[in-house]
Each structure stands twice: as C-alpha cells, then as structure tokens.
Amino acid sequence: MASEPLRFYHRYRRAIETEAIYGEAWLRWAYETPTGRFATWLVARRPLFSRYFGWRMSWRASGRHVFPFIVDYNLDADEFAKSAFEYRTFNEFFTRALKPTARPIAEPENARLAVFPADGRHLGFANVDDAPGFYVK
C-alpha cells in the first residue's frame, strides 16, 4: 500500500502543497515496511552508522549534493552568507551561516512573534491549550 504524500497549508500562497522529503523513498522503506524497520533497528539506529554517515558528508565528494539539494527543496540561496557554489562539503552547507537580514530574530514591538531560525516546517496552534497533544523534538 502506497503511503499518502505529506501535505501542508502554505499560508503565504494560501494553498495546500506537497512536502518534498529528503530521502523519501529510503525513509518510507525504512519506517513503513517490516524489512526496513528491521534494517533500521539493526543498523541505522546505531551510533556507528550515524558517525559513518556524518564522516561521509564531510568528504569533498559530498559537495556535489549541495546544489541539487538547494534546487530540489527550493531553498532561497539569497539568504546564504556565501555563494552556494562555495560549500566544499555537504556538512559545511548543512551548518551554513545566513545573512544577518535573512531571518530577524526579534521584533521588540511585536510580543506575538515566534522565531524559527532553522529550515523546516513547523506545526503551529492558535491556542496551545486547545491542542490535544503535539510532538516536541
């Protein structure tokens, strides 16, 4: 059975959109099939696997993944502190600095402002007291 795509409401475009998920085919296999769940338990959940993958993303060859990632996930390269072509490794890109004007941290005159300085989608509630529950990572 194929899983449903991850959809979200894009508040600026006022439309339902489908989320692009990095490594989606692998993630769906790993978490939605018995074989994948076993392999995840056996290998991927181990610290050695995480260290190995992190080490691989520090290789110069990993830099070839940077530009396709920017394109595939529609990142705004104008926010980056340096050119997208200057990142030598994927880890260097992943921990990139942004221009100071890219994402303002605070507006002292706006007490209702919530800051999310990281890339990603965020779940919001008009009133958290009315929410039956939510995940915190």
Side-chain angles (χ1 to χ4, degrees):
M1 176 173 109
S3 296
E4 292 292 318
L6 182 61
R7 300 189 194 283
F8 66 97
Y9 179 74
H10 193 294
R11 63 184 176 175
Y12 297 120
R13 294 183 186 132
R14 297 179 183 209
I16 301 293
E17 297 189 2
T18 299
E19 180 74 45
I21 301 171
Y22 182 68
E24 181 174 11
W26 186 88
L27 289 171
R28 290 202 183 274
W29 174 80
Y31 291 103
E32 296 177 358
T33 68
T35 315
R37 284 192 293 273
F38 178 71
T40 299
W41 172 83
L42 186 65
V43 178
R45 291 180 51 194
R46 308 297 172 213
L48 182 62
F49 178 81
S50 180
R51 282 194 293 274
Y52 172 74
F53 193 77
W55 177 66
R56 288 275 316 267
M57 292 297 109
S58 292
W59 292 1
R60 289 278 292 201
S62 71
R64 72 178 188 275
H65 300 293
V66 172
F67 195 69
F69 187 91
I70 292 168
V71 171
D72 291 347
Y73 298 96
N74 199 25
L75 300 185
D76 184 358
D78 289 335
E79 290 184 337
F80 305 168
K82 62 183 185 179
S83 167
F85 298 103
E86 294 180 52
Y87 297 104
R88 295 171 296 181
T89 70
F90 195 81
N91 278 347
E92 187 178 304
F93 163 73
F94 196 74
T95 58
R96 69 193 172 278
L98 300 176
K99 292 177 182 173
T101 57
R103 299 180 190 167
I105 297 299
E107 293 178 11
E109 68 281 355
N110 185 355
R112 297 176 51 111
L113 180 71
V115 178
F116 296 109
D119 293 323
R121 302 275 182 240
H122 306 282
L123 181 61
F125 300 97
N127 184 343
V128 74
D129 293 328
D130 293 339
F134 54 90
Y135 297 100
V136 176
K137 182 177 180 185

